[in-house]
Amino acid sequence: KLVCFITTSRLSRTAMLANLIVSALAFSGPARAPSSRVVRANAMMADDIIVTATSLQGPVIFWGSEGVLVGKEESDIKGYDNFGKFVAAVESAGLTATLKGAGPFTVFAPTDAAFADFGGVPAGMTLADVLKYHVVSGKMSTSDISGDLKTVQGNSLTYGRRFRKTFLDYAKVGIESEGASKGGNYPKDIECSNGMIHAIDCIMVPGAYVNLA
């Protein structure tokens, strides 16, 4: 719809300006509402370490050769190597409140398979001691790891860089698969409201690491 203006000598400059503003609004269409996507994104908050670890998806587990016996392809996904046993161990050791606290903490979380392979807590040590050895004060991404790390247990994790992978003691941190499937990727740099989680492939024990370098 066109808006016409009749300019006469009796129209004041103020009236003409008002007409121009009305005209501009008429052609511009209705005002757009603020983007709901931005609002939702800004409103999202990361969960704490325990809540995040409970729902965190670990590396893919493929059926492999045993899948053929049950009608599966070797490359079919059987499940995921998650962190339920880590969360259960934290609860059993009485550390849940700590890892739900303000922090911040960096947690190196072993997968369920790592717990299945664990020989048990050494004599003279508690489960809490072992788990605290997986926790470092402060928030640290994998790119920040460049040296030994003092844990809240008191001992330090020994840093190493071998085969293009980051090691702490014997554990590989945030493994990235080099295969075509990329199924063996371990989560890393997982943001939490009170810190960060990196997955590792074995349980680290204070005093167990022997540096042969």
Side-chain angles (χ1 to χ4, degrees):
K1 181 180 178 179
L2 296 178
V3 179
C4 299
F5 296 96
I6 302 176
T7 305
T8 67
S9 59
R10 288 179 296 176
L11 284 174
S12 67
R13 290 183 179 180
T14 302
M16 292 175 65
L17 180 59
N19 282 335
L20 286 171
I21 293 173
V22 171
S23 175
L25 291 174
F27 280 101
S28 64
R32 294 182 179 179
S35 171
S36 59
R37 180 182 301 176
V38 173
V39 173
R40 285 196 299 270
N42 291 340
M44 288 176 64
M45 294 291 289
D47 289 317
D48 63 57
I49 288 168
I50 294 300
V51 173
T52 302
T54 299
S55 59
L56 183 60
Q57 181 175 290
V60 170
I61 301 172
F62 295 105
W63 273 99
S65 58
E66 68 180 49
V68 177
L69 302 176
V70 293
K72 303 286 185 180
E73 296 289 337
E74 291 188 12
S75 58
D76 286 348
I77 295 175
K78 184 178 182 180
Y80 297 88
D81 191 9
N82 294 333
F83 305 90
K85 292 182 178 180
F86 169 72
V87 173
V90 168
E91 183 175 355
S92 177
L95 298 176
T96 300
T98 299
L99 294 184
K100 289 178 74 70
F105 301 109
T106 298
V107 173
F108 300 97
T111 64
D112 290 344
F115 274 91
D117 293 337
F118 184 46
V121 177
M125 198 174 296
T126 66
L127 177 60
D129 292 331
V130 173
L131 293 173
K132 287 178 181 178
Y133 191 59
H134 294 72
V135 182
V136 173
S137 294
K139 188 174 183 179
M140 180 176 296
S141 68
T142 50
S143 62
D144 294 328
I145 302 173
S146 58
D148 295 355
L149 301 177
K150 187 174 180 63
T151 70
V152 299
Q153 179 269 340
N155 290 17
S156 293
L157 297 165
T158 301
Y159 167 80
R161 183 73 183 171
R162 301 184 291 277
F163 316 113
R164 295 185 296 178
K165 293 178 174 60
T166 296
F167 285 77
L168 290 173
D169 287 3
Y170 295 111
K172 294 188 283 289
V173 181
I175 301 168
E176 294 183 0
S177 172
E178 296 178 354
S181 69
K182 298 296 183 184
N185 288 335
Y186 282 54
K188 63 180 180 178
D189 300 325
I190 305 301
E191 292 274 356
C192 306
S193 62
N194 60 343
M196 188 165 281
I197 298 174
H198 310 296
I200 57 175
D201 63 338
C202 69
I203 293 178
M204 304 177 291
V205 176
Y209 178 72
V210 178
N211 191 348
L212 299 177

